[in-house]
Amino acid sequence: MRKAIKIILIILIAAVLAVGAYVAYVFISYHRIEDNQPAAVDNSKAASESLKTGEDLTITTWNIGFGAYVQDYSFFMDGGEESRAKSEELLLKNLDDINATIEKCNSDLYILQEVDIGGTRTWHVDESKIIRDNFADMSYSFAQNYDSPYLFYPITSPHGANKSGIVTLSRAKITDSLRRSFPVQDGFKKILDLDRCFNVTRIPADNGRELVLINAHLSAYTTDPTVNVRQLEMIYTTMQDEYEAGNYVICGGDFNKDLLGDSSKMFEGVALSAEENWCTPFPVEDIPDGISLVAAYDETDRVPSCRNADIGYEKGRTFVCTVDGFLVTDNVKVNESKVQNEEFMCSDHNPVTMNFTLRSH
């Protein structure tokens, strides 16, 4: 009996030490990328030197869900099952579909989020290269969001260590690209929400000004509501500074906020309980003068931009909302904004396209 108890105690002590060592590894390995870092730019085959003012232009924002979210995909951090793409073969097939969807948008500018450059969840595939190769005739910029330590959860299929970022594509040359670090939550929660950034790219307009394009992906899993407030304040400050300098400014991306205020009343689908509601209303009351929120919604053709990933997509059963859209300064005239209905076939987000004009006066 004593021997058996001793063996059990040794096993328990070893397990506690192993868990302690792993927790220590995660926190020691965790690091944030420094603020104000130049982002990679490739202008090798950009079609034009500048964007035309006074004419219609289009921009598409799309969170591609690291290429894993086929229509029946559910994600463990949202209460679902999967923690990585189902297979490398399916991932590559889905990336082909993503590229085809981007081509179908036929936009002058694209801002993409959750583009992995190597990691466990995406079978160490460099998704940014696949997208870059497919759009070689456009100017390209990539900013890395995070480089996470190995997450040994779920135990049977760990999420692992992953590198992910945001991609900007432009038919006109990008002259400069800067990665800005968002504020994030402190403590243990930072391990789940990881690093966050927005990318500021500069594209010349034909009147000597610049379009300052901000590609943003705000925090999703934070439990501290002040984090998102500070992230938006940082965006507003950047937009105001550039607007006052005479530039056009568009910020687009995944805001992880309900841009429509209460999407559950506008779309066919279940509502989330107060305890699980990650899709809280966008704080429109805090938007500074000179900046407008562009939230795509068509009363006659109601298409959401995002679905919950607790289950695979089932129309009428899955919670849907609109969290993807744009903020623009007053010198940008918005003509139309529309969610492209892809039925969440290759991402948990649908692309959102905005038609706009850079005012010439």
Side-chain angles (χ1 to χ4, degrees), residues 216-232 235-236 253-263 267 277-286 293-295 305-306 319-327 349:
H217 188 185
L218 277 66
S219 291
Y221 299 105
T222 178
T223 56
D224 179 357
T226 67
V227 169
N228 286 128
V229 172
R230 287 183 286 137
Q231 290 176 346
L232 284 170
I235 287 174
Y236 294 148
D254 179 356
F255 292 97
N256 274 309
K257 292 289 182 186
D258 190 342
L259 304 189
L260 302 176
D262 190 355
S263 287
F267 300 116
N277 189 4
W278 50 267
C279 187
T280 55
F282 189 96
V284 292
E285 65 278 3
D286 296 334
L293 174 66
V294 182
S305 80
C306 181
F319 172 76
V320 293
C321 57
T322 289
V323 300
D324 309 273
F326 301 92
L327 292 161
H349 293 249

Side-chain angles (χ1 to χ4, degrees), residues 19-175:
V19 171
Y22 172 68
V23 172
Y25 150 75
V26 169
F27 277 90
I28 291 171
S29 300
Y30 177 88
H31 66 280
R32 295 210 64 194
I33 300 172
E34 290 185 17
D35 195 11
N36 288 302
Q37 294 294 307
V41 175
D42 180 3
N43 277 323
S44 57
K45 295 183 180 179
S48 63
E49 295 292 329
S50 62
L51 296 171
K52 292 184 178 181
T53 57
E55 295 187 5
D56 286 2
L57 298 167
T58 51
I59 179 172
T60 295
T61 181
W62 194 17
N63 181 331
I64 68 167
F66 61 91
Y69 286 78
V70 289
Q71 198 177 50
D72 63 350
Y73 188 88
S74 65
F75 190 51
F76 77 104
M77 289 186 71
D78 294 326
E81 298 180 357
E82 281 88 13
S83 58
R84 56 180 74 173
K86 295 185 177 184
S87 69
E88 182 176 358
E89 180 182 12
L90 186 57
L91 173 72
L92 293 172
K93 167 63 170 61
N94 202 44
L95 288 170
D96 286 342
D97 293 340
I98 286 170
N99 274 333
T101 301
I102 296 171
E103 287 178 357
K104 186 168 61 174
C105 294
N106 193 30
S107 291
D108 301 293
L109 302 156
Y110 297 96
I111 47 177
L112 311 174
Q113 302 85 41
E114 284 197 32
V115 182
D116 279 18
I117 56 173
T120 310
R121 69 184 186 181
T122 46
W123 304 88
H124 303 284
V125 170
D126 186 346
E127 298 177 344
S128 68
K129 184 179 185 305
I130 291 174
I131 292 172
R132 177 64 190 134
D133 290 346
N134 197 71
F135 296 93
D137 61 338
M138 301 186 76
S139 188
Y140 162 94
S141 180
F142 176 85
Q144 186 171 328
N145 234 351
Y146 57 79
D147 180 359
S148 73
Y150 197 97
L151 179 61
F152 214 106
Y153 188 84
I155 301 298
T156 56
S157 180
H159 192 55
N162 300 286
K163 296 179 182 179
S164 188
I166 51 184
V167 165
T168 300
L169 298 168
S170 170
R171 297 200 187 280
K173 285 187 177 180
I174 294 172
T175 57

